[in-house]
Amino acid sequence: ATAEQQLAGRYKVQGYPTIKMFPGGAKTYSDAMDYQGGRTAADIVQAVLAEVDRTGLPKPIPELVSEEVLKENCSGHNHIC
């Protein structure tokens, strides 16, 4: 929270360790939810899977039917390939 104060402020991070979760679907800074569960990997995975079940919004997987669709979905910072 000290090295990236502006980013920490957007997500209302006040110290470490802080874990935030986001609901499925489109997101804004205000959608960040404080994670209150256990801190083991199993606890965090369980909470994430429960959130996916709750929101029911898995990320769509596009059918790669053309070079254009391939480039659109497999390049940049949000790629799936």
Side-chain angles (χ1 to χ4, degrees):
T2 56
E4 295 287 343
Q5 291 180 359
Q6 185 177 14
L7 183 61
R10 287 183 189 155
Y11 291 102
K12 297 180 175 64
V13 172
Q14 307 218 350
Y16 290 101
T18 297
I19 299 175
K20 297 283 187 170
M21 290 183 56
F22 294 86
K27 292 158 190 54
T28 65
Y29 295 119
S30 64
D31 293 328
M33 302 177 294
D34 290 329
Y35 172 72
Q36 300 294 330
R39 297 301 173 128
T40 68
D43 291 333
I44 295 168
V45 168
Q46 183 178 9
V48 169
L49 292 176
E51 181 60 24
V52 169
D53 286 345
R54 187 186 72 78
T55 60
L57 295 171
K59 185 175 181 177
I61 300 174
E63 187 173 350
L64 303 177
V65 295
S66 69
E67 188 172 341
E68 181 180 327
V69 173
L70 178 70
K71 287 179 182 177
E72 180 180 313
N73 291 281
C74 295
S75 62
H77 70 281
N78 196 21
H79 58 84
I80 62 169
C81 302

